[in-house]
């Protein structure tokens, strides 16, 4: 049996996803980009930015307007062409740059945006110039995604809408104000516990269980506790570090981890773990490292291996945006307080892992010991790993073929579990195993039929037949009912149309790779109370499957960390207070937010 280095797999995983180098802590925006003004001999107003080393300004985002918000022509010089990871090919300025305004009025509102090279991107920032007094106001805007909590609502240049006044106040702010760091850590630990049963955390359970089965007869309650604790501590540490990397890179955690390369690498890792569970080869640490970390133990479930597995498993949890995660990222980005944000994320990851530690401690007494049962258990976890790989790779598979891999997996498990082993009498676990095998075989067959019918939802493989029988008249809200907006201008125009009809507007931030979004579209948007609640509400969607300059700028203007996020606007083009929904969204919460938005529009 061949041996594959787990350390090598994890390094490949990290190299494919994390930034290539560590970055210095980003400067406050008014230190990274320092503007100065002066009158020229020809009567033009010159605006010159001194740009710190390692930072740059975007030419496309330089803009000016007068006091009545009428655009002012801004003359700019050519910049350096840059292939920017967030905005594509664009022109930028380094070191120093000037722009000029002819016939400048007394009040000029100046907007600009810049980034740390290879690091954080700042939000669009507005400063007011008084040409009579020759003064420049302090920046209006925050450190990153959201406005400062003591600032007035920020209206980014040319957006024509505004977010809620407390959009910059996060769960971190509230907990720190209420009880300091101790309450913050306790609160985020509790948030993690509440999120431990969500779909993104579920794959961790078979991972830990499979890790424990490798211990064989040496597995005890104490050993299970030690292994699971090492796994969870590494997972929580990686969670905090990934949050810092996301804040410094200017990208949100999901966008970093949900590139096709990252998804493919993580899915491939789980395929390898599955093949290892089936006995094709053994995944373990190199002997020298494994002996040191595990005190000479040669078992695949060493403490060091558990920690490395926890490190890589954090990449599964990271892509799921939740309200606490969004709050921590916004806090880091706005204040630059990396330590507090990292501790909050560590506590969040630790809370998600506590049920795993409990499961491992109890499992140390109950999991079967070495023998035929042990091999069967390892094989079952191999199927679980394959299911995780399929689940992860779903965004990479064309919708038409989504049911095919699930059908093959269900049929294979049904055959393995003994659906065709004859009708000999069975007792106890044998009856349960036979029943599981038959159900899996039937379900796999239904999935195969659903694939032939063109279905794409594994939970409703015969859905196309239902639609045909009912004439397709069932009242639901589909993703296609949302008008796509990919820029601030497009959203502003849609809000203008809704305002003319005195309608509130729902902006739904989504992406093809967002697993929670698919759950919302299948189970939440189709709920009767949601369909009724959203009647009379204009529906718009911001798809960030592929991040470009325009939709990235719109995300920042909306103070959005990532999908799924829902924002309601009233007919005045202002965010309806108390209606923003982030992460796991229920039909009850969405219906209530719609009710509040509609009542405010009357």
């Amino acid at each position: 049996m061949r041996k594959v280095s787990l350390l090598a797999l994890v390094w490949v995983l990290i190299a494919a996803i994390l930034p290539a180098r560590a970055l210095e802590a980003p400067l406050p925006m008014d230190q990274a980009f320092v503007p100065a003004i002066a009158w020229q001999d020809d009567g033009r107003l010159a605006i010159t930015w001194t740009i710190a080393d390692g930072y740059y300004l975007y030419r496309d985002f330089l803009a000016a307007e007068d006091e009545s918000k009428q655009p002012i022509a801004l003359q700019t010089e050519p910049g350096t062409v840059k292939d920017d990871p967030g905005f594509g090919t664009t022109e930028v300025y380094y070191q120093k740059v000037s722009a000029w305004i002819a016939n400048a009025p007394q009040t000029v509102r100046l907007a600009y945006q810049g980034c740390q090279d290879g690091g954080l991107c700042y939000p669009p920032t507005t400063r007011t110039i008084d040409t009579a007094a020759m003064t420049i106001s302090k920046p209006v805007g925050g450190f990153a995604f959201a406005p400062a909590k003591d600032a007035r609502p920020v209206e980014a240049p040319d957006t024509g809408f505004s977010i809620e006044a407390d959009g910059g106040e996060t769960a971190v702010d509230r907990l720190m104000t209420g009880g300091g760091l101790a309450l913050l850590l306790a609160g985020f630990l509790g948030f993690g516990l509440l999120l431990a049963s969500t779909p993104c955390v579920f794959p961790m359970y078979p991972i830990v269980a499979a890790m424990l089965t490798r211990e064989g007869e040496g597995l005890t309650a104490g050993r299970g506790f030690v292994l699971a604790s090492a796994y969870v501590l590494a997972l929580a540490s990686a969670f905090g570090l990934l949050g810092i990397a996301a804040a410094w890179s200017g990208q949100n955690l999901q966008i970093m981890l949900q590139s096709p390369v990252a998804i493919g690498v993580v899915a491939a890792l789980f395929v390898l773990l599955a093949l290892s569970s089936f006995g094709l080869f053994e995944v373990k640490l190199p002997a020298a490292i494994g002996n040191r970390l595990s005190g000479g133990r040669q078992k695949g479930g060493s403490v060091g291996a558990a920690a490395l597995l926890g490190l890589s498993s954090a990449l599964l949890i990271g892509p799921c945006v939740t309200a606490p995660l969004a709050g921590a990222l916004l806090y880091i980005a706005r204040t630059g307080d990396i330590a507090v944000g990292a501790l909050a994320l560590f506590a969040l990851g630790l809370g998600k892992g506590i049920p795993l530690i409990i499961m491992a401690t109890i499992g140390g007494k109950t999991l079967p010991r070495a023998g035929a049962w042990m091999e069967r258990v390892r094989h079952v976890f191999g199927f679980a790993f394959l299911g995780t790989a399929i689940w992860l790779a779903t965004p990479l598979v064309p919708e038409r073929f989504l049911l095919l891999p699930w059908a093959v997996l269900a049929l294979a498990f049904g055959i393995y579990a003994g659906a065709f082993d004859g009708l000999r009498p069975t007792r106890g676990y044998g009856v349960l195993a036979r029943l599981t095998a038959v159900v899996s075989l039937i379900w796999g067959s239904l999935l195969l039929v659903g694939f032939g019918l063109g279905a794409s939802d594994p939970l409703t493989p015969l859905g196309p037949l239902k639609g045909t029988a009912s004439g397709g008249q069932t009242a639901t809200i589909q993703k296609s009912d949302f008008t796509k907006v990919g820029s601030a201008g497009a959203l502003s125009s849609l809000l203008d149309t809704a305002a003319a009809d005195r309608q509130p507007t729902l902006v739904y931030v989504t992406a093809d790779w967002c697993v929670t979004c698919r759950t919302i579209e299948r189970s939440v948007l189709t709920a009767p109370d949601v369909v009724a609640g959203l009647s009379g509400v204009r529906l718009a969607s911001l798809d960030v499957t592929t991040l470009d300059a325009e939709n990235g700028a719109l995300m920042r203007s909306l103070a959005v960390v990532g999908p799924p996020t829902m924002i309601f606007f009233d007919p005045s083009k202002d965010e309806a207070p108390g209606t923003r929904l982030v992460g796991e969204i229920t039909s009850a919460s969405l219906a209530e937010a719609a009710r509040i938005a509609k009542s405010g529009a009357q």
Side-chain angles (χ1 to χ4, degrees):
M1 182 169 59
R2 300 183 61 186
K3 296 181 179 180
V4 176
S5 169
L6 178 60
L7 183 61
L9 292 177
V10 171
W11 275 115
V12 169
L13 194 62
I14 294 174
I17 295 169
L18 292 182
R21 58 185 178 88
L23 297 171
E24 297 180 357
L27 295 171
M29 189 166 188
D30 58 353
Q31 296 180 25
F33 313 102
V34 182
I37 54 175
W39 289 108
Q40 300 292 292
D41 293 338
D42 58 6
R44 293 185 301 169
L45 178 68
I47 308 160
T48 301
W49 286 269
T50 300
I51 304 171
D53 290 339
Y55 295 79
Y56 57 86
L57 275 178
Y58 291 104
R59 184 185 187 189
D60 290 343
F61 292 113
L62 296 181
E65 62 184 19
D66 61 21
E67 195 169 11
S68 62
K69 298 187 179 181
Q70 294 300 311
I72 298 174
L74 191 65
Q75 302 169 2
T76 59
E77 53 191 350
T80 301
V81 176
K82 177 179 176 62
D83 186 11
D84 187 86
F87 294 91
T89 302
T90 185
E91 290 185 62
V92 299
Y93 301 115
Y94 295 94
Q95 303 296 325
K96 183 172 286 190
V97 64
S98 295
W100 300 269
I101 299 175
N103 303 317
Q106 179 175 336
T107 300
V108 176
R109 286 167 48 106
L110 179 69
Y112 56 93
Q113 184 177 10
C115 287
Q116 181 186 22
D117 200 1
L120 180 145
C121 283
Y122 299 85
T125 299
T126 301
R127 304 184 74 165
T128 301
I129 299 173
D130 185 334
T131 58
M134 294 300 285
T135 59
I136 306 177
S137 70
K138 291 292 184 181
V140 178
F143 185 76
F145 300 101
K149 63 178 179 179
D150 57 351
R152 294 183 294 110
V154 176
E155 186 172 299
D158 299 325
T159 60
F161 54 82
S162 62
I163 63 171
E164 191 177 354
D166 65 349
E169 185 176 2
T170 68
V172 179
D173 293 301
R174 292 188 288 272
L175 290 171
M176 288 289 285
T177 301
L181 186 61
L183 181 61
L184 170 71
L185 297 181
F188 271 73
L189 188 72
F191 291 149
L193 282 169
L194 292 175
L195 295 169
S197 60
T198 57
C200 281
V201 182
F202 177 74
M204 303 300 100
Y205 293 93
I207 292 174
V208 172
M211 176 182 70
L212 296 177
T213 61
R214 293 176 180 274
E215 287 290 298
E217 295 181 345
L219 181 63
T220 63
R223 182 66 176 168
F225 175 82
V226 170
L227 289 175
S229 296
Y231 176 92
V232 170
L233 286 173
L235 182 149
S237 299
F239 206 57
L241 291 173
L242 285 170
I244 295 171
W248 282 0
S249 69
Q251 300 181 44
N252 78 63
L253 197 61
Q254 298 168 292
I255 296 172
M256 287 177 61
L257 300 181
Q258 289 289 0
S259 67
V261 173
I263 293 173
V265 170
V266 177
L269 173 62
F270 277 90
V271 171
L272 289 175
L273 290 173
L275 297 178
S276 173
S277 297
F278 292 137
L280 273 69
F281 49 79
E282 183 178 359
V283 176
K284 62 187 300 182
L285 285 169
I289 298 176
N291 289 338
R292 176 169 296 187
L293 291 175
S294 58
R297 294 173 62 92
Q298 294 297 320
K299 296 182 181 296
S302 69
V303 174
L308 287 174
L309 195 57
L311 179 68
S312 61
S313 296
L315 304 176
L316 291 179
I317 298 179
C320 293
V321 70
T322 61
L325 173 60
L329 290 178
L330 286 172
Y331 182 87
I332 294 172
R334 193 195 70 237
T335 66
D337 195 337
I338 302 295
V340 171
L343 285 172
L345 288 170
F346 177 85
L348 185 68
L350 194 62
K352 291 181 177 183
I354 288 176
L356 297 173
I357 296 176
I358 296 174
M359 181 196 76
T361 304
I362 296 174
K365 296 180 179 180
T366 59
L367 285 177
R369 299 299 182 251
W373 266 104
M374 176 62 68
E375 288 304 310
R376 297 278 285 184
V377 169
R378 289 187 61 178
H379 294 165
V380 169
F381 283 125
F383 283 104
F385 285 143
L386 286 178
T388 302
I390 294 173
W391 176 70
L392 287 169
T394 295
L396 307 180
V397 179
E399 185 173 347
R400 175 65 183 85
F401 296 96
L402 286 179
L403 262 61
L404 186 58
W406 288 113
V408 172
L409 181 65
L411 291 172
F413 181 77
I415 295 171
Y416 167 82
F420 294 128
D421 284 355
L423 298 178
R424 63 178 183 273
T426 56
R427 294 182 300 172
Y429 287 114
V431 174
L432 181 60
R434 181 68 58 79
L435 177 62
T436 302
V438 172
V439 170
S440 181
L441 195 67
I442 294 174
W443 188 251
S445 301
L446 291 174
L447 289 171
L448 205 58
V449 172
F451 168 68
L453 294 173
S456 59
D457 186 355
L459 298 181
T460 56
L462 303 183
L465 293 179
K466 180 180 177 180
T468 301
S470 63
Q473 300 301 316
T474 304
T476 60
I477 296 176
Q478 305 294 331
K479 191 174 181 180
S480 58
D481 295 327
F482 288 77
T483 301
K484 291 186 177 181
V485 292
S487 67
L491 176 56
S492 183
S493 296
L494 185 140
L495 291 174
D496 285 334
T497 304
D501 296 332
R502 298 300 300 168
Q503 285 184 315
T505 301
L506 167 62
V507 178
Y508 172 35
V509 183
T510 182
D512 289 347
W513 43 258
C514 173
V515 175
T516 309
C517 298
R518 293 199 295 272
T519 301
I520 291 170
E521 290 152 16
R522 182 179 63 241
S523 305
V524 176
L525 292 179
T526 57
D529 56 340
V530 170
V531 174
L534 293 179
S535 175
V537 176
R538 191 66 56 95
L539 304 177
S541 66
L542 170 59
D543 192 324
V544 294
T545 301
T546 301
L547 195 67
D548 57 30
E550 291 188 325
N551 61 27
L554 180 53
M555 279 184 67
R556 285 187 293 277
S557 297
L558 294 171
V560 168
V561 171
T565 299
M566 291 187 174
I567 306 171
F568 284 89
F569 286 90
D570 60 29
S572 299
K573 301 173 67 173
D574 298 326
E575 180 180 354
T579 60
R580 180 175 294 222
L581 303 173
V582 179
E584 297 286 337
I585 296 171
T586 65
S587 58
S589 64
L590 180 53
E592 176 62 14
R595 185 194 65 77
I596 295 173
K598 290 168 73 173
S599 64
Q602 295 175 353

